[in-house]
Amino acid sequence: MGFLNILFSNSRLIHRIARKQTLGQFPVTLLGVSSTSILKEQSSLFSENDDDDYSQVMDIPGGEVPITAQMKFISESSEKRLPCYRVLDDDGYPILGSIFEEVSKELAVKMYSSMVTLQTLDTIFYEAQRQGRLSFYLTTAGEEAINIASAAALTLDDFVLPQYREVGVILWRGYPVQQIANQLFGNKLDYGKGRQMPCHHGSNELNYLTVSSPIATQIPQAAGVAYSFKMDKKEACAVAYLGDGSTSEGDFHAGLNLAAVLDAPVVFICRNNGWAISTPINQQFRSDGIASRGQAYGIRSIRVDGNDALATYSAIRAARKMAIKEQRPILVEAMTYRVAHHSTSDDSTKYRPVEEIEHWKKSKSPISRFRNYIQRNGWWSDENESQLRGDTRKQVLQAIQIAEKTDKASLTDLFTDVYDKMPSNLQDQEKLLRDAVKRSPKEYPSDVPI
């Protein structure tokens, strides 16, 4: 039979040579091809369109696949990037011919007011951390539309599994501003009793899973929640929020594959904001973003402008409907930009230019874009704006003052709420901690009740 050594040949020539080699006529070595023909010939090996008439099929585990005599590799990327669904342009004007879910005046105003509230929360709490009143904080600056518009498209029956930049989602669901402050300060009125680090909100009542710091753990969990909905025949879906950095974790791939195989009604919402802390997306992956990965797992996907509240709302509404009605997972890639630092522990000017940040902050603001839209519709005015911002600022400042003055959660709360009856090992740990506090009281916070 000899051997077949082919360098830079086109697919038809490969086919002819392969046939002759099969007949035992000769071994082949092709050399001396020009650089221009090399490019043409190489591209034919990675064609996305095949004119072959696949009249024969091969039966393999998983089903039949067509057979081709052409040797063609799947291209590493499509010539055309996936389009990004948008309704409003950067100035808030509807794009001609755009298809979207109509929103009423009441809903639009509530969405905008919530986005402003979220922005105000971030500004004041970030300043409080810089003043030393909070240990940690991270903002949603630049991503307010993803938070609020996606939340508006869901129902309270849908179960949310957040990352850590979705405080706007729980806020929309009815989580009080005062409770946000209580959680950040870890006082005794905090639902988590001070046992979580700041920005790790959660509420059983609002079907919002408590935030977990490890990246991407919520993704396979969402597939499991959705499968339980499927078994119980609930008219609801699970919703997992994640950042582009989460897609570099193994849990992302495991979670999507599990959801696809189980036909679980879950909507994966990925905030592609360009940066996983200091790592830009071009150093994370070579694929065309996140939505392109959906097809590999057999998941219907869409890319949407995450700074466009109307487009985000419409896409999530449609995704939710498909997930529940068709019992399938949906992947939504929301394109945006993280205007702020990753958190108060980060200085993003060390790894990206200030000019880039300012451009997105001023020219691509989702809040300004949506305000222009509702104001042109006659639903908003400068007077409304001034009133909203003034009232919201007072509300947040008052919440901070109350949260700061409220007693911290008790030391006992460190050991409760896990077992019906505290086991002996936890009893021993509590005793050891109390003894340590008595021996060195100055080493422990004086405002924590013993």
Side-chain angles (χ1 to χ4, degrees):
M1 290 288 288
F3 66 93
L4 184 63
N5 181 14
I6 305 175
L7 296 177
F8 312 123
S9 175
N10 63 48
S11 60
R12 291 180 180 175
L13 181 57
I14 291 175
H15 181 51
R16 291 198 300 270
I17 293 172
R19 288 186 62 191
K20 290 184 178 181
Q21 188 213 24
T22 302
L23 295 174
Q25 293 183 8
F26 53 80
V28 180
T29 301
L30 298 179
L31 299 172
V33 187
S34 70
S35 59
T36 303
S37 61
I38 284 175
L39 294 175
K40 292 180 180 179
E41 292 161 357
Q42 276 186 308
S43 65
S44 68
L45 291 174
F46 301 93
S47 174
E48 295 182 354
N49 299 314
D50 201 326
D51 297 329
D52 284 352
D53 178 16
Y54 297 121
S55 57
Q56 297 183 53
V57 295
M58 177 178 178
D59 190 16
I60 64 172
E64 294 180 338
V65 295
I67 293 175
T68 177
Q70 305 295 312
M71 185 173 71
K72 291 187 177 180
F73 293 83
I74 298 173
S75 176
E76 69 277 10
S77 62
S78 173
E79 292 183 3
K80 294 182 179 180
R81 298 200 65 183
L82 291 175
C84 186
Y85 169 58
R86 174 187 277 194
V87 174
L88 302 177
D89 64 18
D90 289 344
D91 296 318
Y93 286 98
I95 297 173
L96 186 64
S98 58
I99 299 174
F100 61 98
E101 187 87 19
E102 295 285 350
V103 295
S104 65
K105 172 184 176 181
E106 291 72 23
L107 179 57
V109 169
K110 183 182 178 182
M111 287 170 61
Y112 178 72
S113 299
S114 298
M115 288 166 68
V116 170
T117 299
L118 183 56
Q119 184 184 56
T120 306
L121 278 168
D122 281 345
T123 301
I124 294 176
F125 284 128
Y126 185 88
E127 292 172 353
Q129 194 282 333
R130 288 305 192 224
Q131 294 166 1
R133 298 160 76 181
L134 291 176
S135 61
F136 175 84
Y137 193 74
L138 53 81
T139 74
T140 60
E143 302 177 41
E144 297 89 352
I146 296 176
N147 268 248
I148 301 303
S150 64
L154 304 173
T155 74
L156 280 177
D157 291 330
D158 301 321
F159 194 88
V160 174
L161 297 92
Q163 192 172 11
Y164 43 62
R165 216 177 292 276
E166 281 81 41
V167 66
V169 177
I170 196 171
L171 181 70
W172 177 272
R173 293 191 151 214
Y175 198 67
V177 170
Q178 184 61 61
Q179 185 53 226
I180 292 176
N182 291 340
Q183 198 284 327
L184 294 174
F185 283 93
N187 62 37
K188 67 179 184 180
L189 299 179
D190 167 30
Y191 293 162
K193 299 182 180 181
R195 292 174 295 200
Q196 285 277 0
M197 66 181 291
C199 301
H200 287 49
H201 305 281
S203 171
N204 290 337
E205 183 182 42
L206 300 176
N207 280 337
Y208 189 96
L209 186 70
T210 301
V211 175
S212 176
S213 287
I215 299 297
T217 55
Q218 75 279 11
I219 301 174
Q221 292 169 357
V225 171
Y227 189 57
S228 73
F229 284 178
K230 183 185 185 77
M231 291 189 294
D232 293 339
K233 294 181 169 52
K234 287 188 176 181
E235 288 292 315
C237 67
V239 183
Y241 287 87
L242 55 139
D244 51 271
S246 295
T247 68
S248 297
E249 296 286 338
D251 280 347
F252 169 79
H253 305 282
L256 263 65
N257 190 58
L258 182 64
V261 171
L262 296 176
D263 287 321
V266 53
V267 179
F268 298 105
I269 304 176
C270 178
R271 297 173 286 94
N272 188 345
N273 63 21
W275 295 88
I277 308 185
S278 59
T279 305
I281 55 173
N282 61 4
Q283 291 182 21
Q284 287 190 69
F285 43 75
R286 289 288 300 274
S287 62
D288 179 11
I290 311 302
S292 62
R293 304 186 190 188
Q295 189 175 33
Y297 289 105
I299 295 179
R300 190 174 296 170
S301 309
I302 187 173
R303 173 176 287 162
V304 61
D305 184 348
N307 284 15
D308 180 348
L310 275 186
T312 301
Y313 174 79
S314 300
I316 301 302
R317 284 273 291 183
R320 178 186 183 273
K321 183 177 180 180
M322 285 187 289
I324 297 173
K325 184 178 180 180
E326 302 178 25
Q327 292 293 286
R328 65 163 66 239
I330 306 292
L331 173 62
V332 180
E333 179 185 18
M335 309 303 295
T336 184
Y337 185 84
R338 195 194 76 218
V339 170
H341 307 305
H342 176 75
S343 71
T344 49
S345 302
D346 173 49
D347 180 2
S348 62
T349 62
K350 299 294 185 181
Y351 52 79
R352 60 182 184 175
V354 175
E355 294 77 17
E356 177 181 295
I357 301 172
E358 289 301 312
H359 168 71
W360 281 89
K361 187 176 182 179
K362 295 177 180 177
S363 304
K364 304 287 186 178
S365 168
I367 296 179
S368 298
R369 189 192 299 194
F370 198 54
R371 179 187 173 180
N372 290 341
Y373 172 73
I374 62 173
Q375 198 151 346
R376 289 195 189 96
N377 284 348
W379 299 343
W380 199 250
S381 66
D382 292 344
E383 291 75 18
N384 295 140
E385 184 76 12
S386 179
Q387 184 72 40
L388 172 64
R389 290 190 176 274
D391 291 346
T392 303
R393 182 172 178 81
K394 289 179 183 178
Q395 181 187 17
V396 177
L397 289 173
Q398 183 181 31
I400 286 181
Q401 292 172 358
I402 294 173
E404 274 187 313
K405 294 176 181 178
T406 303
D407 291 339
K408 297 294 184 182
S410 171
L411 188 69
T412 303
D413 291 329
L414 278 174
F415 305 94
T416 57
D417 295 343
V418 176
Y419 300 96
D420 179 48
K421 183 180 179 181
M422 191 186 299
S424 59
N425 63 312
L426 286 185
Q427 293 177 15
D428 293 341
Q429 288 180 32
E430 182 179 8
K431 183 179 183 303
L432 288 171
L433 179 57
R434 291 185 181 281
D435 291 343
V437 173
K438 289 179 182 178
R439 288 195 306 270
S440 308
K442 293 183 180 180
E443 301 295 327
Y444 296 88
S446 59
D447 57 348
V448 175
I450 301 300

